[in-house]
Amino acid sequence: PSAPSTVENKAERAAAPAPGAASHNPYAVLNWKSQLVAQLERSKRYPSEARVRGEQGVAQLSFSIDRHGGVHHARIVHSSGFSLLDEATLALVARAQPLPPPPPELAGEEIAIVVPIRYNIR
């Protein structure tokens, strides 16, 4: 299994609402962010070859999520420094779909997300 990540600590920044977005229930947005990060973490797999080589790092994953939880335009915006970890990050977002749909408090048809995916060997 993959090592625990500190991504949960960054859930606050994982999905910033668009400027001017309505926020009638701030807990709905926070709950959604927590669910999103948890689902991504459950889908994470540490590549065994990377683990054997001692490769560790953080890949910054960017994507858009539609109103049904579908993922679009997934890409690495900052590499972990290791191609196996970056490839595993793109695979995890595909495996995690559908993600929890955004709450109505977030405006727009698609919500832009950037989330750090941390790979640590313990």
Side-chain angles (χ1 to χ4, degrees):
S2 60
S5 168
T6 58
V7 123
E8 291 86 355
N9 298 336
K10 297 184 182 180
E12 185 64 30
R13 293 187 296 152
S23 186
H24 304 301
N25 180 357
Y27 295 110
V29 174
L30 290 174
N31 279 339
W32 173 69
K33 290 176 186 178
S34 295
Q35 291 171 3
L36 181 82
V37 169
Q39 189 160 333
L40 290 171
E41 281 298 307
R42 283 192 303 273
S43 297
K44 186 170 77 173
R45 306 286 183 268
Y46 207 125
S48 57
E49 188 176 341
R51 187 183 298 272
V52 168
R53 292 182 192 168
E55 297 176 352
Q56 301 183 90
V58 179
Q60 292 287 331
L61 174 64
S62 172
F63 60 93
S64 295
I65 184 168
D66 65 29
R67 289 285 162 195
H68 304 286
V71 172
H72 306 276
H73 318 294
R75 63 191 175 93
I76 302 296
V77 292
H78 188 268
S79 174
S80 65
F82 299 99
S83 61
L84 284 175
L85 299 182
D86 292 348
E87 290 166 13
T89 300
L90 290 173
L92 89 83
V93 76
R95 200 171 30 251
Q97 291 188 72
L99 292 171
E105 286 79 4
L106 293 176
E109 289 303 308
E110 289 189 5
I111 311 301
I113 307 289
V114 177
V115 67
I117 306 296
R118 187 174 309 276
Y119 295 90
N120 290 325
I121 299 173
R122 290 188 181 224

